[in-house]
Amino acid sequence: MLGELIPLALVVALSPVSIVPAVVLVLHTDRPRPTGLAFLAGWLIALAVTTAVFVRVPDLIDGFDESPPWGPWLRIGTAAAAAMSPIAVAFYTILAGSTVIAPVLAYVVAGHRVDSQLERVRDWMQREQAGVIAVVLLVVGVLLTYTGIRAL
């Protein structure tokens, strides 16, 4: 089951939407350590809470007398989350948040010595955003297709 979560977590982890803000906050704020740590804490809490909420959605749909028309689609979309244990939620949260954890903790440990590396990462992510997203979605699509076929 944890193997099925890896592609989903990679989509979140490798998205420039998660990496670039973390790097920018560390590089371009007056107080990068507290700002980066606050962003990191908020990001991980949001991932965990959102995942935990979606784990419960199928139970909420079952509570309706008549299933809403969007109910089956929601069940399909949350099928992986429905079977998640607290350990799986933690695994997913850490993996999905790993690309935010890495630059923030690198700055906390090494300070301004990592500025040039973080600048290069940010510039590369902004420049290659479309290619990165295309490759990540292709890999995820292949893994999800494989998982679906294997479940037949």
Side-chain angles (χ1 to χ4, degrees):
M1 179 200 17
L2 291 179
E4 293 172 4
L5 295 177
I6 291 172
L8 302 172
L10 287 177
V11 169
V12 176
L14 297 176
S15 169
V17 173
S18 61
I19 299 169
V20 172
V23 172
V24 168
L25 281 172
V26 167
L27 290 174
H28 300 292
T29 60
D30 294 333
R31 297 177 29 199
R33 277 191 178 97
T35 305
L37 289 171
F39 179 78
L40 174 61
W43 186 257
L44 293 178
I45 289 168
L47 281 172
V49 168
T50 303
T51 303
V53 165
F54 276 98
V55 166
R56 295 288 134 228
V57 166
D59 295 337
L60 297 174
I61 291 174
D62 289 339
F64 288 122
D65 291 334
E66 186 176 308
S67 181
W70 44 266
W73 290 107
L74 193 57
R75 278 199 185 94
I76 291 169
T78 60
M84 291 177 75
S85 67
I87 292 171
V89 171
F91 172 79
Y92 174 84
T93 301
I94 290 169
L95 184 58
S98 63
T99 54
V100 172
I101 294 169
V104 171
L105 290 184
Y107 193 86
V108 167
V109 171
H112 289 292
R113 294 184 304 251
V114 295
D115 282 354
S116 63
Q117 291 91 344
L118 292 177
E119 281 283 350
R120 282 198 310 259
V121 168
R122 187 200 61 186
D123 292 344
W124 184 83
M125 289 295 293
Q126 289 175 334
R127 193 174 53 251
E128 303 296 335
Q129 178 176 341
V132 169
I133 290 173
V135 169
V136 168
L137 292 178
L138 177 67
V139 170
V140 168
V142 168
L143 290 171
L144 290 175
T145 301
Y146 169 76
T147 302
I149 291 172
R150 196 182 77 208
L152 291 176

